[in-house]
Amino acid sequence: MSHAFKPSWIESTAENLGIIPKLPDKHPEHDLKPVESGSPDLANFPAYEDWDDWAEYEAKDWATGKTKRYSLVPTVCFNCEAGCGLLAYMDKETGEVRKFEGNPHHPGSRGRNCAKGPATINQINDIDRILHPLKRKGKRGEGGWERIGWDQVLDEIAAEIRKAIQEERKDEVVYHVGRPGHEGYIERVLNAWGVDGHNSHTNICSAGARLGYAIWHGADRPAPDYANAKFILLISSHLEAGHYFNPHAQRIMEAKNEGAKIAVMDIRLSNTASRADYWMPTRPGTEAAVLLAVAKVMLDEGIYNETFLKEWTNWQDWLKADHSDAEPIFENFIEKLREHYADYTPEFAEAESGVPAKTVIEVARRIGAAGTQFAAHVWRSAASGNLGGWQVARCLHFLNVLSGSVGTFGGTLPNSWGKFHPSVPNPAPPHKTWNELHFPDEYPLSHYEMSFLLPHFLKEGRGKLAVYFTRVFNPVWTYPDGFSWIEALRDPKLIGLHAALTPTWNETAFFADYVLPVGHASERHDLVSYETHSGLWIGFRQPVHREFLRRQGKPVTFTYEANPGEVWEEDEFWIELSWRVDPDGSLGIRKYFESPYRADEKMTIDEYYQYIFERVPGLPEVAEKEG
Ligand code: SF4
């Protein structure tokens, strides 16, 4: 459609003086949605039907009415675990990404992003990024590199893995993840290799909070239904800055607009705390004392959910174990529980934490009144920064249990309820090995790998590594004792081969033998599913250049053919590597990487995802309907 164009007085003057070019009487035909105030067609986002051919004014040349045509390709942000939806605006003339906006159809983020989402454009255009595989020249850490091809990378690394597996040195093959983000993919690969090779950063991050939840019901994270909550308690949270920032923040705001009250337990007067109804600035490490005082008030005042406690807790077992002399009736359970927490008075909590006793009592009453619509969350900080921090999560979830708000509308759900588990092709059975470098004997209760001990164990001679992958992982910089990592990484007797899979240079990659460029959000395949709210969803992170070429009728075999330079992705990398580890199938590995559709042929990445998507309940039907 055409829009009448009336220049402003300033524009007319500038035009007459020749400061700007002559303006058109009318803007040319284009597909822009009218955005006039009050128009029923007012649109925040391009309609889905227009994604293949979307026109916008050229931002730097709008005065002449010049438009730019885009192909909009959806993908998923890779800059935190929230996995928000992104739309890549691909210039139809050049095939380049010009900007990223939110994807309105993503159920978690609903079109909104934090600043890091659209900033993906800075990452892909980073002039210092690594665009080709590099191999070390000279000694480790000397800084000498040469460019090599992916074939050489695959052959050389596969040979070392094959040798380690053949010589029964399976514990020497290790994959260490920093930024996670693809559902179970690497576990499938490591199972196929038969190695207990997974290591993670989790033990210096979320393991403490996870343990606190896991011992309640096995699910080791909370998934609060903020949007429908009547009372929200956030610990160490800056509008949930730690995790799921954007999806959580927008739902907390919705609840607040509907009248929900918010309490924030944080020593900082964060933005969130400043907007909360109750700010509880605890002295670090005293959060659990406050939470138990809240529990005591709820028990003393009878503002707990009797039905839930009766049906969902093993109160009889506890009575029998700790108070065998008491008659096993619910009233005695409550009585003994009150005795158990008798010391945790609001005054005790105030003396410990600095939070006024009055506030503790008010918050307890708010939780009691919210009942099953009480949503709460703790992530890192209080749970990871203090000795015994796991008790913070445990005590916080105790309040959910007392109020009966576990798994309820407006309550706090086990994360596993919001996690999609894909059916993958040719899954390998779980490996049968136990790597004591990850789970050492002396820490039988460790929740996640004791990853911070790895360099110390290597230096003590408790083991060595033949092939060590660091995946978007930079312990030299992020772990407390970076120099211990440098010592281990420098020594080829401790780590025979180190391959760093990373989109950018980092301090750990500097000590690698191979630096392997992997893609940012718009350059890789991953399945993503996280507990951003009360709902189950999967997101598909996809390489947008590859998809753009497919739409142009120019499909590629490998993603690095479409990406900038030779930037690759792990999905295809692991298939190709595994195939070369076991080229003739004699190790029993190759079969897990064969096509589910073509006998004895290598699986392609399209086949891998086709297999999964064909098995997502409801998806094939919707796809067929939409053509
Ligand atoms: S909240 Fe996380 S996933 Fe969402 S846009 Fe920000 S960085 Fe990306």
Side-chain angles (χ1 to χ4, degrees):
M1 80 187 69
S2 299
H3 300 290
F5 178 69
K6 188 167 180 304
S8 68
W9 176 83
I10 292 178
E11 284 170 330
S12 299
T13 307
E15 190 182 4
N16 291 335
L17 292 174
I19 297 170
I20 61 172
K22 173 122 183 73
L23 296 168
D25 295 337
K26 288 201 299 193
H27 284 310
E29 290 292 317
H30 55 71
D31 299 336
L32 292 178
K33 300 287 176 198
V35 287
E36 294 141 11
S37 175
S39 160
D41 293 322
L42 183 67
N44 287 328
F45 298 99
Y48 172 68
E49 304 77 54
D50 298 334
W51 282 12
D52 275 352
D53 187 22
W54 173 250
E56 276 190 3
Y57 288 121
E58 171 61 297
K60 290 184 179 155
D61 205 6
W62 64 270
T64 59
K66 189 174 169 191
T67 54
K68 182 63 95 178
R69 301 201 90 84
Y70 293 101
S71 189
L72 308 190
V73 183
T75 188
V76 172
C77 183
F78 191 45
N79 286 333
C80 90
E81 213 170 272
C84 298
L86 292 176
L87 274 184
Y89 280 61
M90 308 205 62
D91 187 324
K92 291 192 85 167
E93 279 173 46
T94 65
E96 295 302 314
V97 181
R98 293 194 90 211
K99 63 175 177 176
F100 291 94
E101 300 277 1
N103 178 354
H105 298 287
H106 188 290
S109 56
R110 303 182 292 190
R112 302 171 213 171
N113 298 103
C114 79
K116 291 192 289 177
T120 301
I121 194 74
N122 298 344
Q123 295 173 304
I124 64 173
N125 292 326
D126 180 354
I127 54 169
D128 292 325
R129 70 179 298 193
I130 308 159
L131 290 172
H132 303 278
L134 301 175
K135 184 176 180 182
R136 172 171 60 85
K137 257 171 70 177
K139 288 192 179 153
R140 274 194 200 150
E142 280 186 348
W145 303 96
E146 64 178 337
R147 180 176 156 182
I148 59 172
W150 280 110
D151 262 338
Q152 184 182 344
V153 170
L154 292 166
D155 283 341
E156 291 179 5
I157 298 178
E160 293 301 318
I161 296 172
R162 180 178 174 82
K163 205 162 142 216
I165 292 173
Q166 281 178 320
E167 294 173 2
E168 289 297 327
R169 293 183 285 111
K170 292 185 174 182
D171 284 355
E172 295 185 16
V173 179
V174 169
Y175 163 95
H176 208 145
V177 64
R179 165 87 268 122
H182 56 55
E183 292 306 309
Y185 194 96
I186 193 63
E187 286 80 0
R188 179 183 174 283
V189 173
L190 296 173
N191 281 337
W193 295 357
V195 303
D196 183 15
H198 191 278
N199 207 334
S200 71
H201 71 281
T202 310
N203 227 307
I204 63 155
C205 178
S206 59
R210 286 171 182 261
L211 176 61
Y213 283 99
I215 57 178
W216 275 107
H217 43 49
D220 70 0
R221 302 188 197 194
D225 180 15
Y226 290 127
N228 299 303
K230 289 186 174 160
F231 192 72
I232 294 171
L233 173 53
L234 306 169
I235 300 187
S236 325
S237 305
H238 169 33
L239 252 187
E240 294 288 270
H243 248 54
Y244 309 145
F245 160 67
N246 163 49
H248 277 186
Q250 51 183 269
R251 290 172 173 87
I252 292 170
M253 300 298 282
E254 279 174 21
K256 192 168 168 60
N257 288 342
E258 289 295 314
K261 300 295 178 197
I262 299 176
V264 172
M265 196 182 285
D266 191 337
I267 191 67
R268 303 165 300 163
L269 181 58
S270 63
N271 290 344
T272 316
S274 70
R275 300 293 306 278
D277 300 281
Y278 300 94
W279 177 36
M280 307 168 84
T282 43
R283 295 185 188 107
T286 64
E287 295 84 358
V290 176
L291 295 169
L292 290 182
V294 170
K296 175 178 162 51
V297 173
M298 292 175 72
L299 287 165
D300 288 350
E301 297 193 1
I303 47 177
Y304 50 81
N305 187 322
E306 185 174 324
T307 308
F308 182 87
L309 289 172
K310 275 182 177 165
E311 290 182 4
W312 288 98
T313 68
N314 53 350
W315 59 272
Q316 295 102 326
D317 295 336
W318 180 70
L319 265 187
K320 201 167 144 196
D322 280 18
H323 303 282
S324 54
D325 53 331
E327 191 186 348
I329 56 173
F330 187 76
E331 289 69 24
N332 283 342
F333 164 66
I334 293 294
E335 198 48 44
K336 294 298 175 190
L337 212 53
R338 289 182 61 197
E339 284 174 18
H340 194 71
Y341 293 110
D343 292 342
Y344 292 91
T345 62
E347 293 72 27
F348 166 79
E350 177 174 338
E352 284 283 301
S353 69
V355 175
K358 181 171 158 287
T359 307
V360 174
I361 295 167
E362 276 185 43
V363 166
R365 289 175 180 161
R366 287 280 186 190
I367 295 172
T372 56
Q373 285 171 272
F374 165 55
H377 197 266
V378 56
W379 203 253
R380 301 170 177 155
S381 196
S384 65
N386 304 300
L387 186 63
W390 63 281
Q391 291 280 21
V392 177
R394 187 180 179 213
C395 295
L396 179 61
H397 208 52
F398 185 31
L399 304 184
N400 286 117
V401 172
L402 286 177
S403 56
S405 55
V406 180
T408 52
F409 176 81
T412 304
L413 290 69
N415 70 317
S416 48
W417 292 13
K419 191 87 172 164
F420 178 77
H421 295 283
S423 301
V424 298
N426 310 333
H431 62 78
K432 295 191 171 60
T433 52
W434 182 279
N435 192 335
E436 293 199 3
L437 289 174
H438 305 162
F439 289 103
D441 272 354
E442 49 281 50
Y443 301 96
L445 299 181
S446 64
H447 198 60
Y448 287 83
E449 304 91 348
M450 303 291 274
S451 62
F452 50 91
L453 296 177
L454 181 63
H456 302 279
F457 286 169
L458 294 176
K459 286 196 291 174
E460 284 171 11
R462 288 174 64 152
K464 58 189 168 66
L465 305 181
V467 179
Y468 182 49
F469 293 99
T470 49
R471 191 266 196 179
V472 198
F473 178 54
N474 184 11
V476 169
W477 183 252
T478 59
Y479 273 51
D481 54 347
F483 284 100
S484 300
W485 286 87
I486 292 176
E487 284 176 43
L489 291 168
R490 268 189 196 280
D491 190 342
K493 291 196 288 305
L494 303 184
I495 299 176
L497 185 159
H498 171 201
L501 293 150
T502 176
T504 53
W505 274 108
N506 65 51
E507 292 76 3
T508 299
F510 191 71
F511 296 98
D513 301 306
Y514 298 86
V515 178
L516 308 179
V518 294
H520 291 295
S522 54
E523 300 162 348
R524 51 187 302 118
H525 291 93
D526 294 308
L527 268 192
V528 187
S529 173
Y530 288 107
E531 56 276 18
T532 51
H533 61 289
S534 174
L536 177 67
W537 57 269
I538 49 170
F540 184 40
R541 187 178 289 131
Q542 64 175 336
V544 300
H545 293 93
R546 180 179 179 139
E547 170 58 12
F548 178 78
L549 289 175
R550 190 193 65 78
R551 290 182 186 181
Q552 307 284 314
K554 301 175 202 160
V556 297
T557 305
F558 292 119
T559 300
Y560 65 75
E561 296 166 36
N563 274 346
E566 289 176 286
V567 170
W568 211 0
E569 57 158 24
E570 285 106 309
D571 283 11
E572 287 174 343
F573 173 79
W574 296 119
I575 294 174
E576 293 302 312
L577 185 66
S578 301
W579 199 263
R580 295 182 199 216
V581 168
D582 187 19
D584 56 5
S586 59
L587 296 182
I589 293 172
R590 186 184 128 137
K591 63 185 178 203
Y592 300 117
F593 299 91
E594 288 175 358
S595 164
Y597 304 103
R598 298 170 294 117
D600 299 328
E601 299 283 327
K602 192 175 10 174
M603 179 163 58
T604 67
I605 201 63
D606 284 341
E607 288 174 332
Y608 177 79
Y609 285 105
Q610 178 186 342
Y611 184 94
I612 291 174
F613 292 149
E614 282 174 349
R615 284 156 183 78
V616 175
L619 184 58
E621 294 78 12
V622 173
E624 193 179 341
K625 201 166 133 207
E626 305 234 334

